[in-house]
Amino acid sequence: MAAGPRVLVLGGSSEGFAAAERFSALGCDVTTSFAGRTGVRRQPIGAARVGGFGGAEGLAAYLEAERLALVVDATHPFAARMKANAAAACAATGTPLIHVERPPWRPQAGDDWRMAADVTAAAALAPVTRGPCFVTVGRQEIAPFAARRDLTLLLRVIDPPDAPFDHPAATFLCDRGPFALEAERRLFATRGIASVVSKNSGGAAAAAKLVVARELGLPVVMVERPPRPEGVTTGSVAEAARVAAEMLGLTAS
């Protein structure tokens, strides 16, 4: 049984799995929490917990009951509610909190980006094109696109949506990243993709679609990130580990 400090990783992203591995290597007793929205997932290093906590109050009770020494928020950059709950729970219990926030994508020369404040705005901004609009915002936020009957939609999701999606020209593509550049080029060519809607998730796993859109001169509607959460924020798991080692008196590896 691990003798080191108990660490809760709020996972569901590639950074979450990396954090579990890195903090376990530091000698911590790590539990990774998943929201439970994805049917199939990898097993992290250490223990895994699936399901919600019951808001900020439930998470605070869990932190106290489990005597957590640290919370590492490695959730998706758009998991705004979980980040806010983590900040409130950690403030209430005096538990240190470190956010890991991967850098956002930035437009490059040749990009045709149209910025949207949220997915609803993105659905309204999506241009009418001769080919399909490639929607990659996650299955839980596709509802606003149902009203766009003037678009042909190709929606890439990890799992099929829970509720029926009423649209006369929508096709679902169930797939999980990382997505290789050559595979994305083939997808755009075979499906005739003519525009893209994406959240600004950052990272390498889903960036290839933006490269292909740039190569083809296609419009991209990019959903901006929610405001950065309060508290200590790091740009990588390695940086988070260094900050945590100093907080907890551990030897960084």
Side-chain angles (χ1 to χ4, degrees):
M1 184 176 180
R6 305 197 69 195
V7 173
L8 176 66
V9 174
L10 302 176
S13 67
S14 56
E15 285 81 9
F17 292 101
E21 184 174 354
R22 179 62 70 99
F23 280 86
S24 292
L26 284 174
C28 299
D29 182 1
V30 179
T31 296
T32 301
S33 175
F34 298 95
R37 294 174 182 150
T38 302
V40 178
R41 68 180 60 83
R42 290 164 49 194
Q43 178 65 28
I45 300 295
R49 179 192 182 280
V50 179
F53 292 95
E57 291 183 1
L59 178 55
Y62 178 85
L63 297 181
E64 290 188 327
E66 297 296 322
R67 299 184 179 182
L68 274 300
L70 173 70
V71 175
V72 179
D73 164 32
T75 56
H76 190 277
F78 282 80
R81 180 177 296 177
M82 187 67 248
K83 293 178 186 297
N85 286 345
C90 287
T93 59
T95 307
L97 170 64
I98 301 175
H99 299 284
V100 180
E101 186 173 276
R102 70 180 78 140
W105 293 316
R106 304 290 184 189
Q108 300 183 25
D111 282 331
D112 178 9
W113 284 16
R114 295 97 187 272
M115 306 306 295
D118 53 34
V119 173
T120 299
L125 278 174
V128 177
T129 53
R130 296 183 65 180
C133 177
F134 188 33
V135 179
T136 61
V137 298
R139 65 187 173 94
Q140 292 187 307
E141 296 195 66
I142 59 174
F145 291 90
R148 290 299 308 270
R149 303 296 173 123
D150 53 341
L151 297 179
T152 299
L153 303 175
L154 176 63
L155 304 105
R156 183 159 67 188
V157 294
I158 295 177
D159 296 316
D162 297 325
F165 182 72
D166 182 17
H167 190 283
T171 301
F172 283 91
L173 175 62
C174 295
D175 202 359
R176 181 193 298 268
F179 301 104
L181 180 57
E182 286 303 319
E184 294 289 73
R185 285 175 174 147
R186 288 193 298 272
L187 177 66
F188 275 63
T190 58
R191 300 279 188 159
I193 291 169
S195 65
V196 177
V197 179
S198 174
K199 291 179 177 179
N200 194 340
S201 303
K209 65 190 173 190
L210 302 179
V211 175
V212 181
R214 184 181 310 126
E215 293 173 346
L216 299 176
L218 304 182
V220 175
V221 179
M222 186 65 71
V223 181
E224 299 180 271
R225 291 186 176 186
R228 171 175 280 192
E230 296 182 5
V232 178
T233 301
T234 63
S236 68
V237 171
E239 184 184 354
R242 288 194 295 271
V243 172
E246 185 174 336
M247 282 182 177
L248 303 178
L250 303 172
T251 301
S253 59

